[in-house]
Amino acid sequence: MIASTGLRWILTLLFVVPALAAMWRTGAPGRAGGGPGAVERVAHLLHAVMALAMAAMVWPWGMNLPAGPQVALFTLGAMWFAGVALARPASASRTRALRGALPHVVMMGAMAWMAAAMVSSGSMAGHGSSAMAGHGGSHDMAHMPGMDMSGGSGTVTMALTDTAPRLTAGLLAAVLLVLGVWWLARSFDAARLVYATGTRRPAAPVERDAFGLACHSAMALGMAVTFVVLV
């Protein structure tokens, strides 16, 4: 969906670094007093898959990946994060867990929505190709309903044209931007705390770990950019 090679590489970096970090945490050995448990490993794995999927989406070949399984996977991922939070035994901890899980539910849901948009655009692209073959190439893909494939700006090769999807993409971009800035601020606070005290718990949860928070921020900000270019 992005024509600018430079922007593609920047976004790829924003997604690949969190993906590698999440994969490392997924396979990290358990440590006494706080190694990642099964729930944490599944969360890291979902984040890794999400980051890799986003990295693929910014490149032309990413449009060839099957979108249906992605919609199913990320929808289930959103439900999994919410379900884990709701499974907490105490109401107080359940409420706190739901607040913590909400950003991840939003990101998984946004991924499912984007993959669904890719399904729609892919079917339109296939229709456009058939139409061009049947009309001697006179059909202009830029005029297909719901999607602008013209890439006239030099930065975007595909953008939504219908009002409702554009509003949805804009809203998701705004929410992801807020989440990215929030996580970035928290990562700075966590790093300052480490610098001030000179100590760091060896198995600090990702939600209190400066690098883990920075990875969440990079993912959210990168996703915000991809949604902006769809508008």
Side-chain angles (χ1 to χ4, degrees), residues 14 18 180 183-184 186-187 206 209-219:
L14 283 176
W183 268 319
L184 186 61
R186 291 183 61 196
S187 72
V206 175
D209 172 69
F211 181 70
L213 291 166
C215 286
H216 286 330
S217 175
M219 268 296 302

Side-chain angles (χ1 to χ4, degrees), residues 64-210:
N64 297 325
L65 298 177
Q70 295 183 63
V71 174
L73 173 63
F74 295 123
T75 300
L76 290 174
M79 296 170 61
W80 184 86
F81 277 106
V84 168
L86 289 172
R88 294 294 179 97
S91 59
S93 63
R94 189 180 306 125
T95 302
R96 190 163 54 247
L98 276 172
R99 286 199 303 266
L102 183 59
H104 306 292
V105 172
V106 169
M107 292 179 73
M108 288 284 165
M111 280 294 304
W113 185 90
M114 180 176 285
M118 297 302 100
V119 171
S120 178
S121 66
S123 63
M124 286 187 292
H127 174 73
S129 299
S130 299
M132 284 189 289
H135 293 83
S138 61
H139 184 78
D140 185 1
M141 293 178 68
H143 297 295
M144 289 189 301
M147 190 69 65
D148 176 13
M149 306 284 285
S150 61
S153 67
T155 301
V156 183
T157 59
M158 184 183 69
L160 299 168
T161 57
D162 290 344
T163 301
R166 291 183 66 189
L167 288 175
T168 302
L171 177 61
L172 288 172
V175 171
L176 290 165
L177 177 61
V178 171
L179 288 176
V181 173
W182 175 64
W183 268 319
L184 186 61
R186 291 183 61 196
S187 72
F188 286 150
D189 289 341
R192 274 198 300 268
L193 181 62
V194 171
Y195 179 78
T197 61
T199 59
R200 179 183 180 278
R201 290 196 308 162
V206 175
E207 292 301 327
R208 291 196 295 271
D209 172 69

